[in-house]
Amino acid sequence: MRRPAAISLARSPALVLAASALLALSPAVPAIASFMPDGIGQIAPAPSAPAYPSAPAYPSAPGPTLLGPAAPEGPSPAPGAPAAPEGPFPVGPPSGEAFTVTADRIEYNSLARTLRADGHVQASSGDTVITADHLEGSADTQEVTASGHVTLSRGLTTATGSLLTYNLGTKVGRMENMAGQFGPLHVSGQAIEIAPGQDVVSDASITPCDPDHPFYKITAKKIVIAPDQSVTAYDASLWVGGVRVITLPSYTAGPHGRSGPSLGYNTLDGAYIEYANSFPVGAWRDEYRIRLATTTGLSAENILSERAADHLWKVDLGRSQVQDVNGTLFNIDRYTLDLEYDRQRLSWVPVDFQVETHAGSYRELATGIAATRAEGLATIATDTFRLGPRLFASAGGLARYDTYGTGQQRTVLEGSAALTSPLSTWASASLSYSGVGVNGGTPFLFDLISPSSVASLSYTYIFGGFVQSAGANLSYDFLAQQTTLGLNVSLTITPTTALSVSSQYNLATQQMTEVDYALNVRCDCVTVGLVYRTFPLTPSANNLMVTVQLNAFPGSNVTF
């Protein structure tokens, strides 16, 4: 048996014949074969390998030997055949990348320019790598066929199968009996058609859960995966806990929205099942959802939007969930027209600003209040300025004007500024001020804002272990003339479970005013969140918020 060798084969027929003459000195051996698009070939011993007693001596070669126009000629062409062109030059599709094969044994046909490789085969071109037990390929077309424990990897995407035909130049191919990891998704199927624009999996299953024991999955006759666009399943069935919940003509998920069913729970709606869809309407995009909940019954929402230059138009019709300034959720029936401009940069000062307007009819389910509302907002934010080696400053502000069908009007002005100092890699401190001035009132609770004027000093330390982080906050309310001490700690119970506790203690009254607990648990592809807010002085105001989410199929880059 010969020791391993490294072989590079040019695409020029003359150079190929020269290389094949050296290959003919011995039977097939462990080797490395490269097909270079620039037409330059070389023969060199492989990196250090043990010499075997039965191995015949190699031709003497102190190092890599370049094969150029002066290389030894191979067998004479058949009578009447055209003479081989001189000099190295590319042959086959100009992929611009080397096509390299390594294996225990490589056999090369110099006339047909085909190879056969067996045992620990690896073929690569750019960021594409194929491993298999057996591979056959063409140096001209860069078409390969791999079988036996086949793996195809490109970037962060990997698939395994029983048989693969693939073109290393065009990146087009087909894999049988495939199972793959596409970003966070596990996909399996009878076959996958691979192309640069999209991948198509037939008789497929897709899930973000453990593929061996998925809590939920989608099976489909066909799944189309488009890069940076969407994942679409046709004739799709949703399975939860091994039970088929629903079958739909199609299910789509992507960065522009999702299409299909989902299950969940929150304290406003209770348990619910929801169907959503998103699709283009000319230059516009339409998104709608229909929700059936145990507490709030049947509801729906439709959002029609269009992006034009530096702004976004939206028509929002139906029920949506909004948060107030304290993070409390409200169900709102709204029929509004919204205009939102992108953040812009002022040319004469290092400040960004943004403008948006909203107008329409609102109905708040918690109070039953309904009224028209028109609102305009303008926000500004400065850059973060370095004032010293470990001192940074920033500021921001907001102006809001609201007018209601009840005759009420309101103006809100907000401002904030902060000084931050990273004391070390793990610790930081900040001094900040925020103030809110309110003139007028609102009939709703969801947009209720109270005046405030608070200065605070905070300190945070990151531990990084069981105690992930801890912090303290001392604040003074100039309007109430009271000082509050806040403490918080975040714990990593397990790699998938986090708990945080925060408290507020009024130093003036010497009473605990609020204690909050937040628990977040991720079990495979299901995330459960729980927030329990307690008010020792008014226990009737305690509230619990629970969410159960089946993690959605993202539309990130999940293609070969």
Side-chain angles (χ1 to χ4, degrees):
M1 181 178 179
R2 298 184 61 91
R3 65 177 183 176
I7 307 166
S8 298
L9 301 176
R11 290 188 171 181
S12 167
L15 301 182
V16 169
L17 294 177
S20 63
L22 292 178
L23 281 173
L25 294 175
S26 65
V29 296
I32 303 174
S34 297
F35 303 87
M36 304 294 292
D38 57 8
I40 300 175
Q42 63 179 15
I43 294 179
S48 58
Y52 298 95
S54 60
Y58 260 99
S60 175
T65 303
L66 295 180
L67 298 178
E73 295 183 358
S76 301
E86 295 183 358
F89 64 95
V91 175
S95 69
E97 295 177 336
F99 161 26
T100 302
V101 178
T102 64
D104 293 341
R105 294 173 60 85
I106 295 179
E107 297 176 1
Y108 182 73
N109 185 317
S110 60
L111 296 179
R113 289 180 53 78
T114 59
L115 65 85
R116 176 189 177 98
D118 290 287
H120 303 92
V121 181
Q122 177 173 301
S124 61
S125 176
D127 64 348
T128 301
V129 179
I130 298 171
T131 62
D133 295 334
H134 175 77
L135 181 140
E136 296 181 7
S138 168
D140 288 335
T141 65
Q142 292 190 299
E143 188 85 22
V144 298
T145 300
S147 59
H149 301 92
V150 180
T151 299
L152 172 63
S153 301
R154 187 164 185 234
L156 300 177
T157 307
T158 302
T160 62
S162 59
L163 179 67
L164 171 70
T165 57
Y166 191 76
N167 190 293
L168 290 161
T170 63
K171 313 298 184 185
V172 174
R174 176 185 173 90
M175 178 180 284
E176 306 287 344
N177 302 315
M178 66 80 57
Q181 180 78 34
F182 291 68
L185 302 178
H186 301 277
V187 182
S188 61
Q190 184 183 53
I192 180 172
E193 303 287 345
I194 305 163
Q198 67 178 23
D199 302 329
V200 180
V201 188
S202 57
D203 294 330
S205 173
I206 183 170
T207 179
C209 310
D210 178 357
D212 296 327
H213 307 284
F215 179 77
Y216 81 106
K217 65 179 180 179
I218 289 177
T219 60
K221 190 67 176 177
K222 180 175 69 173
I223 292 179
V224 178
I225 305 173
D228 300 317
Q229 296 181 29
S230 63
V231 176
T232 302
Y234 296 93
D235 192 10
S237 296
L238 172 65
W239 299 75
V240 179
V243 178
R244 182 162 57 185
V245 176
I246 192 172
T247 298
L248 301 168
S250 67
Y251 175 93
T252 301
H256 300 296
R258 59 185 174 85
S259 171
S262 62
L263 305 174
Y265 175 88
N266 62 52
T267 50
L268 286 180
D269 298 314
Y272 65 84
I273 183 170
E274 179 179 283
Y275 181 84
N277 197 6
S278 172
F279 55 90
V281 182
W284 293 70
R285 173 162 290 275
D286 190 79
E287 302 175 52
Y288 71 86
R289 66 165 186 83
I290 302 172
R291 174 177 293 185
L292 180 61
T294 56
T295 302
T296 54
L298 184 65
S299 64
E301 181 181 22
N302 189 90
I303 300 176
L304 185 65
S305 61
E306 181 196 29
R307 168 154 297 277
D310 61 348
H311 59 277
L312 178 69
W313 287 98
K314 290 197 303 182
V315 179
D316 196 332
L317 308 174
R319 181 168 300 170
S320 61
Q321 289 187 342
V322 298
Q323 288 184 331
D324 67 2
V325 293
N326 297 315
T328 304
L329 281 174
F330 288 86
N331 271 326
I332 304 295
D333 288 336
R334 59 189 293 177
Y335 306 91
T336 64
L337 176 64
D338 307 312
L339 173 60
E340 302 174 3
Y341 280 88
D342 298 336
R343 177 175 290 192
Q344 303 290 331
R345 183 74 167 181
L346 294 176
S347 59
W348 48 277
V349 65
V351 171
D352 294 338
F353 76 96
Q354 187 174 16
V355 176
E356 56 185 272
T357 61
H358 311 274
S361 173
Y362 295 79
R363 178 177 175 269
E364 188 175 67
L365 269 66
T367 60
I369 296 174
T372 59
R373 173 176 178 259
E375 179 180 62
L377 299 95
T379 60
I380 61 171
T382 70
D383 290 349
T384 299
F385 301 100
R386 179 188 290 271
L387 303 181
R390 290 191 174 182
L391 186 61
F392 300 87
S394 61
L398 178 147
R400 179 198 310 254
Y401 175 76
D402 299 284
T403 180
Y404 302 90
T406 59
Q408 294 171 278
Q409 296 182 355
R410 182 181 64 171
T411 302
V412 180
L413 297 176
E414 301 181 20
S416 63
L419 293 174
T420 303
S421 176
L423 304 177
S424 68
T425 304
W426 310 108
S428 64
S430 66
L431 176 64
S432 63
Y433 172 81
S434 64
V436 179
V438 180
N439 183 21
T442 171
F444 298 113
L445 290 180
F446 78 88
D447 68 346
L448 180 64
I449 299 173
S450 301
S452 67
S453 179
V454 179
S456 62
L457 176 65
S458 62
Y459 174 84
T460 301
Y461 191 90
I462 300 175
F463 296 90
F466 171 71
V467 179
Q468 186 66 27
S469 64
N473 177 281
L474 187 66
S475 61
Y476 181 75
D477 188 327
F478 291 93
L479 299 183
Q481 297 184 352
Q482 293 182 342
T483 303
T484 301
L485 174 64
L487 299 174
N488 64 82
V489 60
S490 296
L491 308 176
T492 302
I493 309 301
T494 70
T496 59
T497 305
L499 171 68
S500 63
V501 180
S502 61
S503 62
Q504 299 289 329
Y505 181 79
N506 191 311
L507 296 178
T509 62
Q510 297 185 352
Q511 291 178 317
M512 191 75 71
T513 58
E514 183 175 349
V515 181
D516 298 340
Y517 307 88
L519 180 67
N520 191 279
V521 180
R522 180 184 176 94
C523 181
D524 193 13
C525 54
V526 180
T527 300
V528 178
L530 182 149
V531 176
Y532 184 47
R533 301 179 65 188
T534 66
F535 304 90
L537 300 180
T538 55
S540 60
N542 294 357
N543 61 78
L544 175 67
M545 293 179 286
V546 180
T547 59
V548 179
Q549 178 184 356
L550 300 179
N551 299 326
F553 294 98
S556 56
N557 187 6
V558 288
T559 186
F560 279 105

